[in-house]
Amino acid sequence: MNHPEQMFNYHSWANQTLLNRIKELPANVLREEVNTAFPTIAQAFSHIYAVESVWYRVLNGDRMQEALEMCMPLEKENLLHSAVQFANDFAQSAEYYKEWLRDQDDLERTILLENPYAGTRETRLSEIVLHVVNHGTYHRGNVSAMLRQLGHASTMNDYSLFWYQ
């Protein structure tokens, strides 16, 4: 298994680990408002999922602008999801990514990425996968902080714990 694939497996595990913790809490915890990066935990998970979907489409050859137009509406569409529905969405997305990763001969191959926010650059496929992982890690940290603000403990989902799972 290559490093980007291993890191994506960690990302998938960490999403499920945090969602499993949220499943233990009252269902309304997803929509309780807090004063942080996202107003609700549901919005944070909707954002992670939408962005993960954008990058999957880019990895499969879509222009970034087209991928954004197709996937970013998911941020609003998924706001009423339960923790179980989010877990199912992320599990399905993980299967798509894992299948894509299995089919790749060269993750160091570059594509021309036309990012409407940052400009155009050559980007390695591996960099995109690692960005998806890093983006998820950043926002799972937001979710953990949100849980604490709401009076609930989060759960450890560090990469070093993943090593032992």
Side-chain angles (χ1 to χ4, degrees):
M1 181 178 310
N2 59 54
H3 182 65
E5 185 176 4
Q6 176 73 4
M7 292 304 296
F8 187 83
N9 288 341
Y10 156 68
H11 168 72
S12 299
W13 170 86
N15 284 337
Q16 294 300 328
T17 298
L18 189 52
L19 284 162
N20 285 339
R21 170 61 183 132
I22 291 171
K23 288 179 200 175
E24 299 170 350
L25 302 172
N28 67 331
V29 76
L30 283 169
R31 280 168 263 302
E32 285 187 58
E33 292 207 11
V34 293
N35 187 18
T36 188
F38 295 96
T40 67
I41 291 170
Q43 287 181 320
F45 276 115
S46 289
H47 174 74
I48 296 167
Y49 180 75
V51 170
E52 190 170 298
S53 299
V54 167
W55 287 112
Y56 179 75
R57 294 190 70 86
V58 169
L59 287 168
N60 280 283
D62 286 2
R63 289 184 50 245
M64 188 170 186
Q65 183 64 44
E66 294 165 355
L68 287 163
E69 290 168 6
M70 290 197 73
C71 299
M72 291 315 287
L74 293 170
E75 276 191 314
K76 291 185 179 156
E77 292 171 17
N78 294 346
L79 286 178
L80 297 179
H81 275 20
S82 67
V84 170
Q85 288 170 304
F86 278 120
N88 290 340
D89 287 346
F90 280 107
Q92 183 65 58
S93 179
E95 287 305 311
Y96 292 148
Y97 267 89
K98 288 175 186 179
E99 183 177 324
W100 180 88
L101 283 159
R102 280 191 295 271
D103 291 343
Q104 298 310 303
D105 293 330
D106 182 12
L107 287 173
E108 297 310 304
R109 179 172 61 89
T110 61
I111 63 169
L112 190 61
L113 179 65
E114 298 171 3
N115 185 322
Y117 304 108
T120 302
R121 77 181 292 263
E122 284 195 6
T123 306
R124 292 188 313 271
L125 299 175
S126 63
E127 289 179 294
I128 294 172
V129 173
L130 293 174
H131 170 68
V132 169
V133 173
N134 191 54
H135 179 261
T137 299
Y138 176 75
H139 289 308
R140 282 189 301 275
N142 294 143
V143 171
S144 289
M146 295 165 84
L147 285 170
R148 287 186 197 97
Q149 286 183 20
L150 294 169
H152 304 287
S154 185
T155 189
M156 185 175 169
N157 58 74
D158 291 349
Y159 184 53
S160 61
L161 180 61
F162 170 73
W163 296 339
Y164 297 96
Q165 301 300 307

